[in-house]
Coordinates of all heavy atoms in Angstrom, one line a residue:
L351 N 101.1 130.5 -63.9 CA 101.4 130.6 -62.4 C 101.4 132.1 -62.0 O 100.9 132.5 -61.0 CB 102.7 129.9 -62.0 CG 102.7 128.4 -62.0 CD1 104.0 127.8 -61.7 CD2 101.7 127.9 -61.0
A352 N 102.1 132.9 -62.9 CA 102.2 134.4 -62.6 C 100.8 135.0 -62.6 O 100.5 135.8 -61.7 CB 103.0 135.1 -63.7
C353 N 99.9 134.6 -63.5 CA 98.6 135.2 -63.5 C 97.7 134.7 -62.3 O 97.0 135.5 -61.7 CB 97.8 134.7 -64.8 SG 98.5 135.6 -66.3
V354 N 97.9 133.5 -61.9 CA 97.1 133.0 -60.7 C 97.6 133.7 -59.5 O 96.9 134.2 -58.6 CB 97.3 131.5 -60.6 CG1 96.8 131.0 -59.3 CG2 96.6 130.7 -61.7
L355 N 99.0 133.9 -59.4 CA 99.5 134.6 -58.3 C 99.0 136.1 -58.3 O 98.7 136.6 -57.2 CB 101.1 134.6 -58.4 CG 101.8 135.3 -57.2 CD1 101.5 134.6 -55.9 CD2 103.3 135.2 -57.5
L356 N 98.9 136.7 -59.4 CA 98.5 138.1 -59.5 C 97.0 138.2 -59.1 O 96.6 139.1 -58.3 CB 98.6 138.6 -61.0 CG 98.1 140.0 -61.2 CD1 98.9 141.0 -60.4 CD2 98.2 140.4 -62.7
V357 N 96.2 137.2 -59.4 CA 94.8 137.2 -59.0 C 94.7 137.1 -57.5 O 93.9 137.8 -56.8 CB 94.0 136.1 -59.7 CG1 92.6 135.9 -59.1 CG2 93.9 136.4 -61.2
F358 N 95.5 136.2 -56.9 CA 95.5 136.0 -55.5 C 95.9 137.2 -54.7 O 95.4 137.6 -53.7 CB 96.3 134.7 -55.1 CG 95.6 133.4 -55.2 CD1 95.9 132.5 -56.2 CD2 94.5 133.1 -54.3 CE1 95.2 131.3 -56.3 CE2 93.9 131.9 -54.4 CZ 94.2 131.0 -55.4
I359 N 97.0 137.9 -55.2 CA 97.5 139.1 -54.6 C 96.5 140.2 -54.6 O 96.2 140.8 -53.6 CB 98.8 139.5 -55.3 CG1 99.9 138.5 -55.0 CG2 99.2 140.9 -54.8 CD1 101.2 138.8 -55.7
T360 N 95.8 140.4 -55.8 CA 94.8 141.5 -55.9 C 93.6 141.1 -55.1 O 93.0 142.0 -54.5 CB 94.5 141.7 -57.3 OG1 94.0 140.4 -57.9 CG2 95.6 142.2 -58.1
F361 N 93.3 139.8 -55.0 CA 92.1 139.4 -54.2 C 92.4 139.7 -52.7 O 91.5 140.2 -52.0 CB 91.8 137.9 -54.3 CG 90.8 137.4 -53.4 CD1 89.4 137.6 -53.7 CD2 91.1 136.7 -52.3 CE1 88.4 137.2 -52.8 CE2 90.1 136.2 -51.4 CZ 88.8 136.4 -51.7
N362 N 93.6 139.4 -52.2 CA 93.9 139.7 -50.8 C 94.0 141.2 -50.5 O 93.5 141.6 -49.5 CB 95.3 139.0 -50.5 CG 95.7 139.2 -49.1 OD1 95.0 138.8 -48.2 ND2 96.8 139.9 -48.8
T363 N 94.5 142.0 -51.5 CA 94.5 143.4 -51.4 C 93.1 144.0 -51.3 O 92.8 144.8 -50.4 CB 95.3 144.1 -52.5 OG1 96.6 143.5 -52.6 CG2 95.4 145.6 -52.3
S364 N 92.2 143.5 -52.2 CA 90.8 144.0 -52.2 C 90.1 143.6 -50.9 O 89.3 144.4 -50.4 CB 90.1 143.5 -53.4 OG 90.7 143.9 -54.6
L365 N 90.4 142.4 -50.4 CA 89.7 141.9 -49.2 C 90.2 142.7 -48.0 O 89.3 143.1 -47.1 CB 90.0 140.4 -49.0 CG 89.2 139.7 -48.0 CD1 87.7 139.7 -48.3 CD2 89.7 138.3 -47.8
S366 N 91.5 143.0 -47.9 CA 92.0 143.8 -46.8 C 91.5 145.2 -46.8 O 91.4 145.8 -45.7 CB 93.5 143.7 -46.7 OG 94.0 144.2 -47.9
S367 N 91.3 145.8 -48.0 CA 90.9 147.2 -48.1 C 89.4 147.3 -48.0 O 88.9 148.4 -48.0 CB 91.4 147.8 -49.4 OG 90.9 147.1 -50.5
G368 N 88.7 146.2 -48.1 CA 87.2 146.3 -48.0 C 86.5 146.6 -49.3 O 85.3 146.9 -49.3
M369 N 87.3 146.7 -50.4 CA 86.7 147.1 -51.7 C 86.2 145.8 -52.4 O 86.9 145.2 -53.2 CB 87.8 147.8 -52.6 CG 88.3 149.1 -52.0 SD 89.4 150.0 -53.1 CE 90.7 148.8 -53.4
L370 N 85.0 145.5 -52.1 CA 84.4 144.2 -52.6 C 83.2 144.5 -53.6 O 82.5 143.6 -53.9 CB 83.9 143.3 -51.5 CG 85.1 142.8 -50.6 CD1 84.5 141.9 -49.5 CD2 86.1 142.0 -51.4
T371 N 83.1 145.8 -54.0 CA 82.0 146.1 -55.0 C 82.5 145.7 -56.3 O 83.7 145.6 -56.6 CB 81.7 147.6 -54.9 OG1 82.9 148.3 -55.4 CG2 81.3 148.0 -53.6
P372 N 81.6 145.4 -57.3 CA 82.0 145.0 -58.6 C 82.8 146.0 -59.3 O 83.6 145.6 -60.2 CB 80.6 144.8 -59.3 CG 79.6 144.5 -58.2 CD 80.1 145.3 -57.1
F373 N 82.7 147.3 -59.0 CA 83.5 148.3 -59.7 C 84.9 148.5 -59.2 O 85.7 149.1 -59.8 CB 82.7 149.6 -59.7 CG 81.4 149.6 -60.4 CD1 80.2 149.4 -59.7 CD2 81.3 149.6 -61.8 CE1 79.0 149.4 -60.3 CE2 80.0 149.5 -62.4 CZ 78.9 149.4 -61.7
T374 N 85.1 148.0 -58.0 CA 86.4 148.2 -57.4 C 87.1 146.9 -57.0 O 88.2 147.0 -56.5 CB 86.3 149.0 -56.0 OG1 85.4 148.3 -55.2 CG2 85.7 150.4 -56.3
W375 N 86.5 145.8 -57.4 CA 87.2 144.5 -57.1 C 88.1 144.1 -58.2 O 87.7 143.7 -59.3 CB 86.1 143.4 -56.9 CG 86.6 142.2 -56.2 CD1 87.6 142.2 -55.2 CD2 86.2 140.9 -56.3 NE1 87.8 140.9 -54.8 CE2 87.0 140.1 -55.5 CE3 85.2 140.3 -57.1 CZ2 86.8 138.7 -55.4 CZ3 85.1 138.9 -57.0 CH2 85.8 138.1 -56.2
T376 N 89.4 144.3 -57.9 CA 90.4 144.1 -59.0 C 90.5 142.7 -59.6 O 90.6 142.6 -60.8 CB 91.8 144.5 -58.4 OG1 91.7 145.8 -57.8 CG2 92.9 144.5 -59.5
P377 N 90.4 141.6 -58.8 CA 90.4 140.3 -59.5 C 89.3 140.1 -60.5 O 89.6 139.5 -61.6 CB 90.2 139.3 -58.3 CG 90.6 140.1 -57.1 CD 90.3 141.5 -57.3

Side-chain angles (χ1 to χ4, degrees):
L351 288 175
C353 287
V354 172
L355 182 62
L356 180 62
V357 170
F358 275 112
I359 292 175
T360 54
F361 174 78
N362 183 60
T363 304
S364 300
L365 191 64
S366 61
S367 62
M369 297 187 300
L370 296 178
T371 63
F373 296 101
T374 58
W375 198 30
T376 307

